Amino acid sequence: MTMVKIEKLYKIYNQNKANEFTALKDINLQIEKNEVAVLKGVSGSGKTTLLSIIGALKKPTSGLLEVDGEQVARLPDSFTSKFRSQKLGFVFQSFNLFNALSVKDNVIQPLIPLNLKKDEIEQKLLKALELANISHKKEEMVQNLSGGEKQRVAIARALINEPEIILCDEPTANLDKQNSLNFIETIKELKALGKTVVVATHDSLFEEFDFIDKIIKMENGQIVE
């Protein structure tokens, strides 16, 4: 089953103006269910822009984008947030956590718009914390955590709505080598759970593991062989 299908996709900023810039050019890509795909390239190669478009955070200028069978690019803005909350989990480079809140309060953030019952939230919380191996820090303030622990909180938050697809933007950029290896091991565990994982990174560590199904190299907004 194809989870991400992209055909002839372009992203152009300031179109038809003097400072027009083509961030993505003629992108064609398929990612199947339960695959781990790595978008590899230096800063400015277009990988983060492509990840943002897959995650319905940005819209392409033209081309086909289907995520789990839904033509995301055609969804009105009022539906894209609902789509993200139901289908996608995000792990960001800077973690995007609230330092003044506890681990628990950070992880449940994606559930707030869903108006779930308290016991249902607690059930989802405990499951996500366990999967991310951070249950023992449930009540700890985020500001007191190490970088590796913050990464695990971000993973738990990404998993709490039980998404089919996990999107990771430079997830090891702020981690030392050991915590980077720990994160990659977590991706392996997510694959074993049937998740589809897409990672945008310049970290060469991701090229060393055989459970990664696709390494998609990008340069100047294009996929290169």
Side-chain angles (χ1 to χ4, degrees):
M1 177 182 177
T2 301
M3 294 299 286
V4 177
K5 181 179 181 180
I6 297 173
E7 293 179 355
K8 300 184 183 303
L9 185 141
Y10 284 74
K11 177 62 177 176
I12 303 171
Y13 292 99
N14 303 316
Q15 192 171 17
N16 300 321
K17 296 181 180 179
N19 58 341
E20 178 179 295
F21 172 66
T22 302
L24 295 173
K25 181 180 180 182
D26 196 24
I27 301 294
N28 296 277
L29 175 64
Q30 280 197 188
I31 300 171
E32 305 302 321
K33 182 177 176 61
N34 198 209
E35 281 191 334
V36 176
V38 174
L39 304 175
K40 189 83 182 337
V42 299
S43 178
S45 61
K47 62 186 186 300
T48 295
T49 300
L50 180 56
L51 193 77
S52 297
I53 288 174
I54 293 171
L57 296 170
K58 296 179 180 178
K59 288 186 179 294
T61 303
S62 62
L64 172 74
L65 169 65
E66 288 186 1
V67 179
D68 197 14
E70 187 86 58
Q71 292 201 31
V72 181
R74 295 185 180 180
L75 289 176
D77 292 341
S78 56
F79 285 88
T80 53
S81 59
K82 182 179 179 182
F83 175 82
R84 286 193 297 269
S85 68
Q86 291 176 338
K87 299 285 186 180
L88 304 170
F90 295 88
V91 179
F92 299 99
Q93 174 181 346
S94 57
F95 311 136
N96 285 13
L97 301 174
F98 296 99
N99 282 324
L101 296 180
S102 68
V103 168
K104 173 182 69 176
D105 289 337
N106 269 276
V107 173
I108 65 173
Q109 289 296 314
L111 300 182
I112 290 174
L114 304 181
N115 296 316
L116 301 177
K117 294 180 179 178
K118 187 175 180 180
D119 58 344
E120 190 174 356
I121 291 174
E122 185 69 13
Q123 184 179 10
K124 287 179 177 292
L125 171 66
L126 293 177
K127 183 177 180 181
L129 291 173
E130 183 178 353
L131 286 170
N133 193 25
I134 197 70
S135 300
H136 59 295
K137 297 287 185 176
K138 176 183 172 185
E139 304 296 339
E140 188 72 61
M141 301 298 288
V142 163
Q143 62 192 9
N144 298 329
L145 301 181
S146 68
E149 289 169 338
K150 288 180 179 180
Q151 183 64 283
R152 291 195 171 276
V153 176
I155 293 166
R157 183 185 57 192
L159 293 174
I160 197 165
N161 60 354
E162 301 179 82
E164 292 295 322
I165 304 172
I166 310 293
L167 304 177
C168 309
D169 185 18
E170 297 286 4
T172 61
N174 294 322
L175 301 179
D176 59 28
K177 184 175 181 180
Q178 185 55 55
N179 278 313
S180 295
L181 291 171
N182 292 341
F183 176 78
I184 293 170
E185 184 63 28
T186 300
I187 291 179
K188 184 177 180 180
E189 293 167 5
L190 293 176
K191 179 179 172 66
L193 292 171
K195 304 296 183 184
T196 303
V197 185
V198 186
V199 183
T201 186
H202 64 269
D203 193 337
S204 59
L205 278 176
F206 284 87
E207 298 181 9
E208 300 176 11
F209 297 88
D210 58 7
F211 69 87
I212 293 173
D213 301 285
K214 286 187 172 82
I215 295 181
I216 301 139
K217 295 184 179 180
M218 298 191 68
E219 290 180 8
N220 300 318
Q222 294 179 284
I223 293 175
V224 296
E225 295 298 328

